[in-house]
Amino acid sequence: RIIPAAFLLATSLHALTSCPHSKVEESFNLQATHDLYYYGLGPALRSFITRGEDKTSWMTQSQTCDARSDEGSDGSTCVVGDYALPYDHVRFPGVVPRTFAGAFVLASMAKVISFISPQPMSPIFVQFLIRFLLLLLCLVAHVRLALALEYYSVSKPKSHHTQAKKSTSTSIQSSHPSISAYYLLITASQFHIPFYSSRLLPNTFALLLVILAYAEWFYGRPRCTAVFLVFTTAIFRCDVLLLLFTVGLTLLLQRRLNIVEAISIGIVTGVASLLVTVPLDTLLWSRLIWPEFEVWWFNTVDNRSGEWGRMVWHWYFSRALPKGMMTTALLFPLAFVRLPERIDLWITRRRSGQSTRKDPKKHVGFFDLTLLPFFLPILGYIALYSCLPHKEIRFIFPAIPMLNVFAAYAMSRLHKVAFPVIDGGKNVPEKYSSADQKSASSAYRLNFHWTGFFMWLCGIGTILTTMIGSQLFIRLSMENYPGGEALNRLRRHLDSSIPSSRTTIHSINLQNTPKWEDVRVHVDVAAAMTGVSLFGQRHASRRYDYESPFPIEKSGYEDENQLEGNSKRTKKFTHLLSEEQNVDGYHLVDVVKGYPRFDFKNFRIDTRNATYILESDDWPGGEMSNLSTRV
């Protein structure tokens, strides 16, 4: 288990370091983590106190925003009532509100580490640290599920309707070898789970808890399974309600839970979840709120999810899952069909001169229904989710770990066929009947290299090809954050064009010498959605030899945060990060490419111009730049 777990850590860390920027899907939690790390809950608490005891007025306060330089974060602050709040979500609330629970936990963990750190941590390192902490939490969840699979493979029930009881007479090697290791290996070989394990999406927080719920399910603890699913539904992703329904129905039909237990778990866990999310989110959103309830209302009652695109009903089955699992999806059917064992047994009997006809008294069934109780709820979950018009692969992330479990179970059976445990003919694999054990014991040693070993190699081949495909996805993703890269290049440009503060003091022509505090940057919507984060803004706007950071103002897709083209000149921005190349009064400094796609014909990655770095014609530091213009 150690090597596969280390491999999963390595692939997840590779994805994190290769793509350090963020996109719009994770922007809320990343910006919230920034605000909670640097500002904490203090501004929200002081705002609450200053508004007094008039809760009705507090819940309906109007909000106004204006530009200012607040420690160089985004150059803006918002006023709720009579108190200024520095939080990003007040100005950029998004389409639907989200909980701060996950961001609060990660910011608190990072804050504790900063207290014991001997050196101050840079904003870029804090962003990396926060993502790395989430990555570690996801890794722990995967390892726990792997341990649960190992436990289940040892103590799997003889009947699907009875709870698992641990058997002391069997071992992993004689039951289903290495299922835990294969689960970690298959997960590590794929793209989406390792890549998104460090991305601060609500889906990632939900996936972490769902994996823990699966672990409790395999451990034979249905109540803990239900608790995790209810908690996840109420706080992070209301759509996990579909998974709660299918899994809960399965547990009820198996009589591992009764109606009274299910209702009591739902009520108690639901109330506890509300006590976690409602006070925290009400404080930070400045109104009484249960975020996931509003998300549920938006998607189901208002049925507005289709505004973001519509897909055919079978999209998850025909496009998303094949993309998510890639060639490891070929292992999935073998989890329920004993085809490898049948093929190997047929060849073994044929080579040993035994009859290939079935023995009805000794015959083992063609289908393996061991994991069927776990498969049906996942199938129902995906089918129910397919009814919603808007579909994204991240919406069915909770299904992928369980599908990987099925693939791992298939690989463990291929492993058993390829490397049988034979001890004097007593521990021949279960595919053989007692009448065939003597011949199988001698013949199998000679033939497994040509049958089972070949099939096992084919299974390993699916993992390797998936791994290669995942690296291609990561390479494509590296070109998917032109806004974040543009901000980095702008910082390098300013470093080269603005002299140090000591040089400025002794400069003869102070009027024509650019100064750090004179910089004014505007980031348009496209750049803000493709990698510009508050951590990056905080890093880009500071330099050790200048006391004051320069302000960075962003546009948003909200109407009040849109910035018209001619207003750019009136605001006197010195630099722009824009998807438009030609803006009056500005010249081109650099351009960052993006929008990658793979050209299969020429076997290369094609990109096009995405974000332009523009500089005001009146900026005195233009001629001092040593960066060449690239178009």
Side-chain angles (χ1 to χ4, degrees):
R1 291 189 305 270
I2 296 178
I3 294 178
F7 183 57
L8 177 57
L9 173 61
T11 55
S12 301
L13 192 58
H14 171 58
L16 170 59
T17 54
S18 299
C19 306
H21 302 296
S22 63
K23 292 196 74 173
V24 64
E25 295 87 356
E26 58 176 312
S27 62
F28 171 79
N29 278 298
L30 189 63
Q31 317 295 43
T33 306
H34 167 277
D35 290 343
L36 291 174
Y37 177 85
Y38 285 104
Y39 306 125
L41 296 176
L45 287 171
R46 289 191 291 271
S47 176
F48 173 77
I49 294 173
T50 57
R51 285 190 292 270
E53 300 180 355
D54 187 0
K55 300 300 187 300
T56 303
S57 174
W58 171 62
M59 295 177 193
T60 58
Q61 286 286 352
S62 61
Q63 302 174 0
T64 59
C65 300
D66 54 40
R68 74 181 182 103
S69 175
D70 182 21
E71 298 186 9
S73 59
D74 68 341
S76 66
T77 182
C78 291
V79 178
V80 181
D82 298 323
Y83 193 83
L85 295 178
Y87 302 130
D88 184 79
H89 69 276
V90 181
R91 184 179 181 190
F92 302 98
V95 179
V96 290
R98 289 294 184 183
T99 181
F100 288 87
F104 179 76
V105 171
L106 292 177
S108 300
M109 295 172 65
K111 201 68 176 178
V112 171
I113 295 176
S114 70
F115 288 147
I116 62 178
S117 174
Q119 297 292 334
M121 298 190 299
S122 68
I124 294 299
F125 180 78
V126 173
Q127 176 175 287
F128 171 84
L129 175 64
I130 286 170
R131 284 180 160 167
F132 183 68
L133 290 173
L134 179 59
L135 186 156
L136 290 180
L137 293 176
C138 291
L139 179 66
V140 170
H142 285 294
V143 171
R144 179 164 177 78
L145 177 55
L147 294 174
L149 292 173
E150 186 172 305
Y151 171 86
Y152 183 80
S153 67
V154 173
S155 58
K156 62 179 181 180
K158 295 181 179 180
S159 170
H160 297 309
H161 301 288
T162 60
Q163 186 170 349
K165 296 182 179 180
K166 188 173 182 179
S167 173
T168 58
S169 62
T170 59
S171 66
I172 280 291
Q173 197 64 22
S174 64
S175 175
H176 290 286
S178 307
I179 185 173
S180 59
Y182 281 122
Y183 167 75
L184 294 173
L185 183 63
I186 290 171
T187 302
S189 70
Q190 296 170 352
F191 168 74
H192 290 87
I193 298 301
F195 182 84
Y196 283 97
S197 64
S198 59
R199 307 277 152 178
L200 276 67
L201 283 79
N203 309 82
T204 303
F205 292 109
L207 177 62
L208 192 159
L209 296 176
V210 168
I211 293 173
L212 294 176
Y214 289 156
E216 297 301 322
W217 197 4
F218 281 106
Y219 273 124
R221 301 167 184 162
R223 295 174 182 82
C224 293
T225 301
V227 168
F228 274 113
L229 293 178
V230 172
F231 188 82
T232 306
T233 301
I235 295 181
F236 292 108
R237 289 291 301 189
C238 63
D239 48 13
V240 178
L241 180 66
L242 300 176
L243 183 63
L244 174 63
F245 170 74
T246 57
V247 173
L249 182 62
T250 300
L251 296 177
L252 289 173
L253 294 177
Q254 290 178 322
R255 297 183 180 178
R256 302 181 66 182
L257 279 180
N258 57 49
I259 296 294
V260 176
E261 289 177 323
I263 294 176
S264 61
I265 290 173
I267 293 176
V268 173
T269 308
V271 171
S273 302
L274 293 180
L275 291 177
V276 171
T277 182
V278 171
L280 176 64
D281 295 317
T282 296
L283 177 66
L284 289 167
W285 282 107
S286 300
R287 63 185 178 92
L288 184 63
I289 187 175
W290 175 14
E292 283 310 300
F293 177 79
E294 294 197 12
V295 175
W296 172 82
W297 191 275
F298 179 89
N299 288 327
T300 57
V301 179
D302 292 341
N303 196 24
R304 295 180 58 189
S305 64
E307 296 177 3
W308 305 100
R310 294 175 177 268
M311 290 79 171
V312 293
W313 67 269
H314 55 78
W315 186 84
Y316 285 130
F317 295 98
S318 60
R319 296 290 299 276
L321 290 178
K323 181 180 179 181
M325 299 190 69
M326 287 187 270
T327 53
T328 55
L330 299 174
L331 297 171
F332 173 76
L334 300 182
F336 303 97
V337 178
R338 293 192 176 96
L339 184 61
E341 292 89 342
R342 286 301 188 87
I343 294 174
D344 191 65
L345 178 59
W346 182 82
I347 295 176
T348 302
R349 285 181 171 180
R350 188 180 180 89
R351 289 181 177 272
S352 61
Q354 298 293 319
S355 173
T356 57
R357 293 183 300 175
K358 298 177 182 178
D359 185 352
K361 295 182 180 180
K362 308 287 186 179
H363 176 61
V364 179
F366 183 69
F367 296 101
D368 186 344
L369 304 182
T370 303
L371 296 181
L372 186 63
F374 299 94
F375 167 67
L376 293 178
I378 302 302
L379 177 63
Y381 166 69
I382 301 174
L384 289 174
Y385 220 135
S386 297
C387 297
L388 290 178
H390 181 59
K391 299 174 178 66
E392 295 183 35
I393 190 172
R394 61 189 176 95
F395 294 166
I396 58 168
F397 275 178
I400 294 180
M402 190 62 80
L403 297 178
N404 288 344
V405 168
F406 304 145
Y409 181 67
M411 276 302 302
S412 72
R413 291 200 358 239
L414 290 174
H415 184 107
K416 190 175 181 182
V417 170
F419 307 103
V421 180
I422 301 178
D423 183 15
K426 294 181 181 180
N427 293 327
V428 180
E430 61 184 15
K431 63 181 181 180
Y432 298 108
S433 62
S434 58
D436 298 320
Q437 286 198 2
K438 185 175 181 179
S439 60
S441 178
S442 59
Y444 200 80
R445 289 190 181 92
L446 301 176
N447 296 324
F448 79 94
H449 286 292
W450 301 100
T451 55
F453 186 68
F454 175 75
M455 290 185 287
W456 176 80
L457 282 180
C458 291
I460 294 296
T462 64
I463 298 176
L464 291 177
T465 52
T466 297
M467 193 179 306
I468 294 173
S470 299
Q471 295 309 305
L472 176 60
F473 277 131
I474 289 179
R475 180 62 186 86
L476 288 167
S477 298
M478 291 171 62
E479 307 291 340
N480 235 349
Y481 302 91
E485 177 60 23
L487 188 61
N488 289 341
R489 293 191 189 183
L490 175 63
R491 169 59 190 261
R492 292 196 294 268
H493 169 71
L494 294 175
D495 282 338
S496 65
S497 61
I498 299 179
S500 68
S501 58
R502 297 182 182 89
T503 304
T504 303
I505 293 175
H506 297 90
S507 176
I508 298 177
N509 189 0
L510 293 177
Q511 184 176 0
N512 295 326
T513 301
K515 299 182 180 63
W516 193 261
E517 59 267 21
D518 293 336
V519 177
R520 297 289 184 272
V521 177
H522 177 263
V523 179
D524 73 354
V525 177
M529 294 175 64
T530 56
V532 175
S533 70
L534 293 180
F535 291 102
Q537 294 174 219
R538 184 175 287 267
H539 168 74
S541 62
R542 284 171 163 75
R543 205 164 81 172
Y544 70 95
D545 54 341
Y546 283 89
E547 294 183 0
S548 301
F550 60 75
I552 301 177
E553 186 169 338
K554 295 183 299 186
S555 289
Y557 51 79
E558 301 90 349
D559 292 338
E560 62 272 19
N561 291 318
Q562 293 288 339
L563 189 64
E564 298 299 332
N566 54 10
S567 67
K568 294 176 182 177
R569 294 192 301 274
T570 61
K571 290 222 172 188
K572 302 296 183 182
F573 291 111
T574 61
H575 297 84
L576 308 177
L577 300 186
S578 173
E579 63 179 338
E580 300 177 13
Q581 180 179 358
N582 299 315
V583 178
D584 293 340
Y586 293 86
H587 60 268
L588 181 65
V589 172
D590 204 350
V591 60
V592 181
K593 295 183 179 295
Y595 308 109
R597 67 178 185 87
F598 189 77
D599 184 355
F600 288 94
K601 182 178 180 180
N602 298 309
F603 203 74
R604 67 182 184 186
I605 297 176
D606 290 334
T607 57
R608 57 187 175 90
N609 294 344
T611 301
Y612 298 93
I613 303 175
L614 305 178
E615 188 173 67
S616 174
D617 295 337
D618 299 329
W619 175 247
E623 67 279 2
M624 301 181 64
S625 173
N626 58 8
L627 282 180
S628 60
T629 300
R630 289 167 290 186
V631 181

